[in-house]
Amino acid sequence: MQTARPCPTMTRRRVVMAVPLLGAAQWAGAAVAPSTPPPLQRSARALMGTRVDMVVSGADAAPRAADLAMDAAWSEMERLARMMTRYDERSVVSALNRASGVHAVAVPPEMMVVLRDAQALSAATQGAFDITVGALRAWRFGDQKVLPDPAEIAAERRLVGYRGLLLDTNAGTARLARSGMAIDLGGIAKLPILAAGMQVLQAHGVVDALLNGGGDVLVAGSQQGRPWRVGLRDPLAPERMLGVLALKGPAIVASSGDYERFFMAQGERQHHILDPATGRPTRGPHGISLLATDAGSVNGLGTAMMVLGGERAQALVHKRASVQALMMNHDGSLWRTPGMAAQLQTA
């Protein structure tokens, strides 16, 4: 997401499009199916501006071993989140933003991978995806109730441009070319961070697990021998399910939409996904869910599709044979790839 800082006001209005359907009790606000023993081991923490849920099948390991694996996964995800947030002055992202127009900043290898992926996606989408929207500081999706001054948006928009992020992979440094430029990794760091957590779980012997970060769902193996079930909710009517995906890992469901953080002004949702070309919220699809087997195939793709919309968004997916998609258009109609239509079951 090309985003601004969340706050308690916006958190109360959040809708999550993809929700895991687990046994025994309601979880993440979704209807669920009955479970079978042994019980799932669950943990949840606030991370990356959202709630992250971790679920490990009790059949994989003794409870103590599973606890150790989960603790190690949380530690790794928290380390990476601290590195790549723009809301902590001690982070590498903050250091890079402060040094804009002045000097290069040393970047850890994990963050360099994310920056390189962001640049590649920006080039592939002709700038529809652009992490330098961090310069659009006039948007504060938290305490904001009125639209920013158009002159302020226009001035900040001139600082947006992915070509101004200069990477030296040999030296391990990054530099923002002009003073006032800023990056925001909210639209491309979450999936790699979740994937790193899943890798830690697997390194500790966990075979069956699920991670849910604000509607981005990663699954490994199965839920006690059965497919993990992930429901896709209607972003305009969150009490209604559009369908359910039955998945055995590795699988990833990544969602983007205008339903997550917003305020109302001029009769429209002023939401957190910003169009780099205008400096304003996108006016295309309401929501997109993507299905793949690896994070790299879909990382940042939903945000780019939100900016492009319509046939251009569809064409972007068609170039990626391993990705399936569901898109709710601005008029409420649904578009699905054949693979998504085949896998999406009636809720």
Side-chain angles (χ1 to χ4, degrees):
M1 295 162 289
Q2 305 183 57
T3 73
R5 184 196 300 265
C7 82
T9 300
M10 292 301 103
T11 300
R12 288 196 297 267
R13 304 183 70 174
R14 290 184 69 165
V15 176
V16 176
M17 192 166 174
V19 288
L21 307 182
L22 301 177
Q26 285 198 335
W27 193 61
V32 295
S35 66
T36 57
L40 300 172
Q41 292 180 247
R42 313 184 193 194
S43 179
R45 297 185 187 181
L47 196 66
M48 300 178 285
T50 190
R51 168 177 164 146
V52 175
D53 293 273
M54 185 184 299
V55 182
V56 170
S57 173
D60 286 340
R64 179 57 182 159
D67 286 342
L68 292 173
M70 295 170 79
D71 287 344
W74 282 122
S75 294
E76 177 64 1
M77 290 192 293
E78 289 169 345
R79 180 184 73 85
L80 295 173
R82 287 193 300 270
M83 177 193 304
M84 291 189 266
T85 179
R86 63 183 294 200
Y87 302 118
D88 184 340
E89 293 184 354
R90 300 164 295 180
S91 74
V92 181
V93 166
S94 293
L96 178 58
N97 290 345
R98 283 194 302 271
S100 61
V102 181
H103 59 79
V105 170
V107 171
E110 302 94 332
M111 182 169 154
M112 182 62 77
V113 171
V114 173
L115 294 179
R116 291 181 64 184
D117 288 348
Q119 291 294 76
L121 184 58
S122 295
T125 60
Q126 293 77 52
F129 181 89
D130 192 330
I131 59 174
T132 65
V133 293
L136 298 171
R137 298 178 176 91
W139 294 97
R140 302 179 306 278
F141 294 94
D143 57 352
Q144 200 163 17
K145 299 183 185 300
V146 297
L147 292 174
D149 185 332
E152 188 177 5
I153 295 175
E156 293 173 346
R157 166 62 191 87
R158 289 192 285 270
L159 294 169
V160 175
Y162 70 92
R163 293 181 180 87
L165 173 62
L166 309 174
L167 304 178
D168 186 333
T169 53
N170 291 328
T173 62
R175 179 174 177 268
L176 289 165
R178 290 176 290 159
S179 178
M181 291 188 73
I183 64 168
D184 180 350
L185 298 182
I188 200 164
K190 185 166 64 168
L191 277 182
I193 291 172
L194 292 173
M198 184 66 80
Q199 289 169 2
V200 170
L201 289 175
Q202 293 173 325
H204 281 73
V206 173
V207 176
D208 304 313
L210 177 147
L211 287 170
N212 174 33
D216 289 335
V217 182
L218 284 69
V219 301
S222 63
Q223 181 187 349
Q224 300 160 325
R226 300 169 303 176
W228 297 99
R229 299 176 69 243
V230 179
L232 302 186
R233 288 202 285 211
D234 184 338
L236 299 181
E239 71 282 358
R240 184 172 77 93
M241 286 284 179
L242 297 174
V244 175
L245 294 169
L247 305 171
K248 287 194 174 183
I252 293 174
V253 180
S255 297
S256 300
D258 66 7
Y259 46 80
E260 199 171 352
R261 301 182 194 117
F262 65 92
F263 64 94
M264 298 299 297
Q266 297 183 345
E268 292 186 303
R269 292 187 191 187
Q270 308 296 332
H271 62 88
H272 72 295
I273 300 181
L274 303 176
D275 185 340
T278 66
R280 297 175 182 274
T282 63
R283 290 290 175 254
H286 285 298
I288 292 165
S289 284
L290 302 169
L291 173 63
T293 58
D294 66 288
S297 296
V298 294
N299 197 20
L301 188 62
T303 298
M305 292 175 66
M306 288 289 294
V307 173
L308 294 170
E311 294 182 358
R312 293 192 299 165
Q314 295 175 26
L316 194 59
V317 173
H318 288 318
K319 294 177 181 178
R320 293 162 169 78
S322 62
V323 177
Q324 304 303 325
L326 179 149
M327 179 167 65
M328 174 169 278
N329 297 309
H330 197 70
D331 62 3
S333 62
L334 291 175
W335 172 80
R336 287 166 285 197
T337 59
M340 178 66 81
Q343 289 192 244
L344 195 63
Q345 304 172 359
T346 302

